[in-house]
Amino acid sequence: QSALTQPPSASGSPGQSVTISCTGTGRDIDFYKYVSWYQQHPGKAPKLLIYEVTERPSGVPDRFSGSKSGNTASLTVSGLQAEDEADYYCYAYAGNERVFGTGTKVTV
Amino acid sequence: EVQLVESGGGLVQLGRSPRLACAASGFNFGDYTLSWVRQPPGKGLEWVGFIRSKLYGGTTEYAASLKGRVTISRDDSKSIVYLQMNSLKSEDTAVYYCTRDFVQYGGSKPHFSYAMDVWGRGTTVTVSS
């Protein structure tokens, strides 16, 4: 199972929005609804932001939203804040395997 | 407090076979699928594998690239999940995280979201020659 493809970097000014894409290979994102997104600050463990494409765990601000179209999932961060500067990873369920995206560094 | 704490990392010689452990607390360990994820220095996350709860057979799945070199097991009586690594290579140098699968209980049956809602802080394995 190959890694899902994400842009290496994205950026935006405080208050703006940024959208990160995550493209699968056809056996993962396209067929399943189980795409999740994680935020990782330097030296820290990742944190779950979005699960099942669009759902937010309790405690995650509604500035973070997810969507999916065909074989591409997306994470949008609205109203960018300084603390949103981090690495972001998508993750998909592909039957008995799981796969992460290549990761996107967001700069605010 | 729900918590996962990894141990067993450190400087390991090339070719050795260390075993990492992850101790859980604050939740019903036996009800959950547990996974291992690793991250080489300066690189992205890589799924290593997972072990299902005993209710779902306690079976394991592994990344194709690692199949045959890693084994995940669990001891529900101690709330510990293990990652046995065999014949370490230099590219196995990484931070190894233990994670819990996100499951929602409350309805007639559990709802699996196939996401990871709890992560440990990780343990670093550095392979030396």
Side-chain angles (χ1 to χ4, degrees):
Chain A
Q1 184 71 34
S2 300
L4 306 172
T5 302
Q6 297 180 232
S9 62
S11 64
S13 301
Q16 289 186 331
S17 295
V18 66
T19 296
I20 303 165
S21 62
C22 169
T23 302
T25 60
R27 288 183 60 246
D28 33 59
I29 292 177
D30 196 23
F31 287 109
Y32 299 103
K33 66 174 183 177
Y34 303 112
V35 178
S36 52
W37 289 90
Y38 302 82
Q39 177 192 61
Q40 185 181 34
H41 288 107
K44 301 291 188 182
K47 171 189 171 184
L48 177 63
L49 289 179
I50 297 286
Y51 66 95
E52 291 185 44
V53 179
T54 61
E55 304 300 307
R56 276 187 311 276
S58 61
V60 174
D62 59 7
R63 303 187 293 105
F64 295 92
S65 62
S67 62
K68 184 171 82 79
S69 177
N71 207 34
T72 298
S74 298
L75 172 73
T76 297
V77 186
S78 306
L80 274 171
Q81 299 181 5
E83 59 261 37
D84 298 332
E85 185 160 297
D87 293 325
Y88 292 81
Y89 295 90
C90 58
Y91 173 76
Y93 166 88
N96 287 334
E97 290 194 39
R98 314 281 179 88
V99 62
F100 279 101
T102 50
T104 298
K105 181 174 180 60
V106 169
T107 302
V108 180
Chain B
E1 179 191 5
V2 173
Q3 201 170 7
L4 296 170
V5 179
E6 302 91 340
S7 61
L11 195 61
V12 184
Q13 276 193 318
L14 199 65
R16 293 284 195 174
S17 301
R19 187 178 74 164
L20 307 182
C22 170
S25 59
F27 64 97
N28 293 327
F29 181 82
D31 290 345
Y32 289 86
T33 291
L34 284 301
S35 299
W36 286 92
V37 173
R38 70 181 185 178
Q39 185 170 36
K43 296 190 177 181
L45 301 172
E46 179 185 14
W47 173 71
V48 173
F50 65 77
I51 185 165
R52 297 178 178 88
S53 67
K54 292 285 196 295
L55 184 63
Y56 292 89
T59 51
T60 52
E61 305 292 346
Y62 302 105
S65 60
L66 294 170
K67 205 171 288 187
R69 284 212 304 127
V70 297
T71 303
I72 298 174
S73 60
R74 63 190 297 159
D75 184 339
D76 288 0
S77 69
K78 296 180 179 178
S79 297
I80 297 178
V81 60
Y82 300 98
L83 174 64
Q84 176 69 54
M85 306 177 65
N86 299 316
S87 304
L88 278 191
K89 306 176 181 180
S90 58
E91 54 262 40
D92 293 321
T93 293
V95 176
Y96 287 77
Y97 295 103
C98 168
T99 76
R100 184 186 81 170
D101 259 25
F102 185 31
V103 181
Q104 293 168 282
Y105 291 93
S108 58
K109 57 181 182 178
H111 178 76
F112 298 96
S113 297
Y114 301 102
M116 301 171 177
D117 67 336
V118 180
W119 293 66
R121 292 187 174 184
T123 188
T124 300
V125 173
T126 303
V127 181
S128 69
S129 54

